[in-house]
Amino acid sequence: MALLTDSSQFSGVMPGTFAVVPIMSDRFVCLLDPSGRVAAWGADARNLTGYTADDMLGRPLAALFSPCRGAGETGAALPVQGQAERVELIARRDGTRFHARIECHALDHSRHIGAILADMPAAVVVVQDVSAAGGPAQGADPALRPVLDRIPDGIALFGADCGLLYRNDLFGSTLALPDDLLWPGTQARAIMAVQSGDTARTADGACDWTTEILRQGRSLRLSWTGLPDGRRLRLCRDLTDLRRSESRARFLEQHDDVTGLANLPGLQTHLQMLCERPSERFTVLYFDLFGFKRINNTMGHAAGDELLRLVADRVRRLMEPDDVAAHIRGNKFALVMRAEQDSDMIWAHAQHLRSVLSRPMSVLGHDVTVGVGIGVVRFPADGSDRDTLMWNADIALQYAKDGKGEGIRFYNPVMDRMRQKRMDLERDLQRALAQDEFVLFYQPFLNIGTHRIVGVEALIRWMHPVRGLIPPGDFIPVAEGMGLMYDIGVWTLNTACRQASAWPEDIVVSVNVSAAQFRHDGLVETVAQALLGSGLDAGRLELEITETAMIDDVPRAARVLRQLREMGVKIALDDFGTGYSSLSFLQSLPFTRIKIDRSFVRELGQGVGDGAAIVGAITSLCGSLNVVATAEGVETQEQFDYLKQINCSEIQGFFICRPRPASEIQPLLDQIN
């Protein structure tokens, strides 16, 4: 390399063409005058570039440099003082191009003081074709490559002149750069121009920055950092998956993942925005699905989710572009309608929504139906802020669920007072169970054939410290909504067994089992403990259960009832005729008594309805199944005579006596029996 690096070899003036021993076919040597123009051009230079000495003598060597890729600039002239090294893209005579490493060494003319310096070569230049030796730049330091390849970012190192020195594989693939931008010497300005069309950020090499761009549908974070030695470091990281995850997280913060509708926070955000506009007018339909829990419990959560999705799809088809629908939780939804409408139009919309959602839906291959209750509030008439609107909408919904007004109720301030009364009742109910404020009354069963009382039904009452005796119809629905029925049921069972143990051994005590208590896995154990604690014989206990408590899961109901029957406990089917009344249902479950609902007994002797025919049919059916038929709600002699005529086994009602406290049962038995 002495020929290339020792300037003393070129101490004299060189001819325009010179011959040196070729070092390699991928490089050549030429000389430059003080102005940077070619002063000597050899055969190696002609072979590599296609240009002859006549073409190049007197021309700047920089004329061969192609413009920076994408930057629209020509190559800068080579300095002829000191030493310099850089990579340029050189254009051959035939139009092809190659990347070349260019080393420029200034010549020492100090020993030629008498010479005319202007006519002497100022620098020797070695030009090496690096494209044939290794392709696009990937790093000259072998020890650095393993580190670069393991960095999760695309990384590139640029020289002080902003020309590319090193890069790892991720740099090109992350930025989706073409190969011709990955060669040594490619200017950072050119790469930036292709990335985003913006070259201003790299114009000042001393300025560090970080930015995020969108390239070919992907989010990329770029940074440009200066190093102490003057070189520059470019990092790029693909943030696409992260941004998608963040976007999904933001969506889920405001939307329900099952239905895709807004969730409660999303609804609250939307209502807050609307309420901040005094001129805004909108309506909120707050609605519940009746029967959803039954489907979810009997068919599984997959069926419940599918039902929610079907409901959401039907709601979407009813929405206007500015409307917003939300799945708040469980079976509760809301629809915000932006258009200002009068009460009749809102009512019509609510009716249409209720009609659409009440139509059968195919869930996992089964047709199911749900009921719908809708509470309606309007802004600003029913509330000037988000929380008041939602509170009043929930109040209206509770009244819509009471079975009146076609399941649709507009909010009315009167509802507030009624709601407050309910809240007071809920508070008092919590205290009632703890302070033993409940009492049991008993209503007898009379055997028509023997005219003897054969059993009594336990009926709960609430002895309120202020309001006095409260009938079950006034507090049981509230207790059900509060989830207290299981605890109340356990108290009732234990108390009835204990009190009945003091009566004659031929008297049966019948206890109502709520749906919540029947569905509880510990029912059989609870009954066993009540019998054990009271000493009551199992044959003297009867449990009254409604069809609706069992129909959700008939196989389970059959297992539970058979366990109870094996203990000796009697089973009564309550309110028969008002539910499904399936013969297969009767045959599959071990009932010992069927109670005929009072709604059919009430029609006896009135000459209206089909009550007599229904009561007669049920009584005949009970005879065929060898179970006791008991008619509820018997109040007149005429009703009693008809039931006796059709051989009904037993009756219950005011015709015998009203419900009485436990202390009066023994005297009643002594009187009648």
Side-chain angles (χ1 to χ4, degrees), residues 69-284:
R69 276 69 72 197
E73 299 177 356
T74 59
L78 286 172
V80 293
Q81 296 180 354
Q83 296 186 11
E85 179 180 340
R86 72 190 197 206
V87 176
E88 291 285 354
L89 187 64
I90 292 182
R92 294 186 177 93
R93 188 183 186 93
D94 61 7
T96 61
R97 300 185 300 175
F98 65 95
H99 284 85
R101 177 178 290 107
I102 301 174
E103 299 177 21
C104 184
H105 300 267
L107 298 177
D108 182 7
H109 297 293
S110 60
R111 68 185 64 182
H112 301 286
I113 298 177
I116 302 176
L117 297 182
D119 294 331
M120 298 185 66
V124 59
V125 176
V126 180
V127 179
Q128 180 184 1
D129 182 356
V130 295
S131 59
Q138 291 190 338
D141 186 352
L144 187 61
R145 283 298 308 279
V147 177
L148 295 179
D149 289 342
R150 286 169 174 76
I151 292 177
D153 296 336
I155 183 169
L157 184 65
F158 293 83
D161 63 349
C162 293
L164 179 62
L165 298 177
Y166 317 129
R167 57 93 182 169
N168 64 359
D169 291 336
L170 273 177
F171 183 76
S173 60
T174 301
L175 293 173
L177 296 174
D179 285 346
D180 65 347
L181 287 178
L182 299 176
W183 294 92
T186 301
Q187 291 292 298
R189 182 183 300 272
I191 295 175
M192 192 62 186
V194 171
Q195 289 170 192
S196 62
D198 177 18
T199 61
R201 285 190 179 272
T202 57
D204 181 5
C207 181
D208 292 353
W209 51 262
T210 298
T211 189
E212 189 168 328
I213 67 171
L214 187 66
R215 177 164 170 78
Q216 297 185 357
R218 304 192 68 80
S219 296
L220 306 177
R221 183 173 65 198
L222 308 178
S223 65
W224 179 252
T225 306
L227 300 178
D229 62 1
R231 292 179 299 173
R232 311 292 296 179
L233 190 66
R234 166 71 63 83
L235 298 176
C236 61
R237 175 171 291 186
D238 190 339
L239 302 179
T240 304
D241 292 340
L242 175 62
R243 295 293 178 252
R244 286 173 180 168
S245 297
E246 292 173 344
S247 177
R248 178 64 176 167
R250 287 193 296 271
F251 179 86
L252 292 178
E253 285 177 359
Q254 300 285 312
H255 292 81
D256 171 52
D257 59 343
V258 174
T259 64
L261 301 179
N263 56 14
L264 178 57
L267 175 65
Q268 291 172 329
T269 300
H270 185 69
L271 290 178
Q272 180 69 33
M273 177 190 68
L274 295 180
C275 290
E276 291 173 354
R277 305 171 184 170
S279 61
E280 189 73 51
R281 296 294 181 270
F282 61 90
T283 301
V284 181

Side-chain angles (χ1 to χ4, degrees), residues 445 447 450 452-456 500-509 536-537 539-541 570 593 650 666 669-670 673:
F445 305 136
N447 184 289
T450 64
R452 292 177 60 85
I453 293 176
V454 294
V456 292
S501 65
W503 301 329
E505 294 183 357
D506 60 344
I507 299 300
V508 172
V509 62
L536 185 72
D537 184 80
R540 294 182 57 199
L541 175 63
K570 296 178 173 63
R593 180 198 302 270
E650 300 172 359
Q666 186 60 56
L669 294 174
D670 294 340
N673 287 359

Side-chain angles (χ1 to χ4, degrees), residues 438-441 458-462 470-472 475-476 488 491-492:
F438 295 115
V439 296
L440 292 183
F441 278 50
L459 302 170
I460 193 170
R461 301 289 188 267
W462 179 11
I470 302 177
F475 69 85
I476 289 297
I488 291 176
W491 178 90
T492 302

